[in-house]
Amino acid sequence: MSVRPATSEDIPELVRLRQILADRMAMDGSFPVDDTWSESYADSLDERIGSSDTAVYVVDAPDGGLASCGIGLIFDRFPGPGLPDGRYGYIQGMTTDPGHRRLGYGRAVMTALMAWYRARDIRRIDLHATPEAAPLYQEMGFTADGYPSLTWRSLS
């Protein structure tokens, strides 16, 4: 198994994997499902793959397509005591195809993302986890930060 950076040719598979994650999160009522997202997601991936603030890593499935993927983003906000340069990371879209789970693909993608962040001296990385994935992230050093994660969404 090897992890590689995604290319624009991977976008249809990245959208497919993101749909798997969206379906899983919808089971928890985590967010309302909007069926118009996939085209915008594909367009955004096409714009951002290869940019300096985005890393998209994938593992190819042995039988074709993608087995797993994850996206790392770097954002800027005002510096503060715990974030002297204001830069922080967010991991999004970590997904492994159900037929390829428990084989180390997600861990390999996370390891690549963490190396990417470390090479850029990013000192804070946030993510949201499904209950099934939380143990992996905790093994990799992610903890609850003591403050609740709150979200506002427009109802219209």
Side-chain angles (χ1 to χ4, degrees):
M1 159 195 18
S2 66
V3 178
R4 65 173 176 81
T7 67
S8 58
E9 289 80 29
D10 294 314
I11 291 174
E13 276 291 287
L14 290 165
V15 171
R16 180 185 69 81
L17 289 172
R18 184 64 179 93
Q19 182 64 58
I20 290 169
L21 180 59
D23 292 344
R24 171 58 189 90
M25 293 176 76
M27 289 174 20
D28 293 338
S30 300
F31 62 89
V33 176
D34 180 338
D35 293 332
T36 63
W37 67 271
S38 61
E39 186 175 334
S40 296
Y41 185 69
D43 290 345
S44 186
L45 284 166
D46 195 40
E47 289 174 14
R48 296 183 78 168
I49 284 177
S51 68
S52 63
D53 65 351
T54 305
V56 184
Y57 288 109
V58 299
V59 173
D60 292 306
D63 54 348
L66 296 179
S68 189
C69 69
I71 300 170
L73 304 161
I74 298 174
F75 296 102
D76 288 306
R77 63 183 189 195
F78 285 106
L83 204 58
D85 67 359
R87 296 179 317 136
Y88 71 100
Y90 186 79
I91 294 176
Q92 179 178 348
M94 280 293 303
T95 312
T96 299
D97 183 280
H100 300 286
R101 291 188 179 153
R102 315 259 348 128
L103 299 172
Y105 296 150
R107 181 180 303 278
V109 169
M110 275 297 294
T111 299
L113 286 170
M114 296 304 291
W116 180 77
Y117 281 123
R118 285 185 183 103
R120 285 150 186 81
D121 199 31
I122 299 300
R123 297 177 179 204
R124 177 186 172 141
I125 303 164
D126 296 324
L127 58 74
H128 289 87
T130 62
E132 299 85 3
L136 169 64
Y137 306 135
Q138 291 165 340
E139 285 177 29
M140 298 187 90
F142 285 80
T143 61
D145 70 0
Y147 291 97
S149 174
L150 303 174
T151 303
W152 177 88
R153 287 186 173 83
S154 172
L155 298 177
S156 58

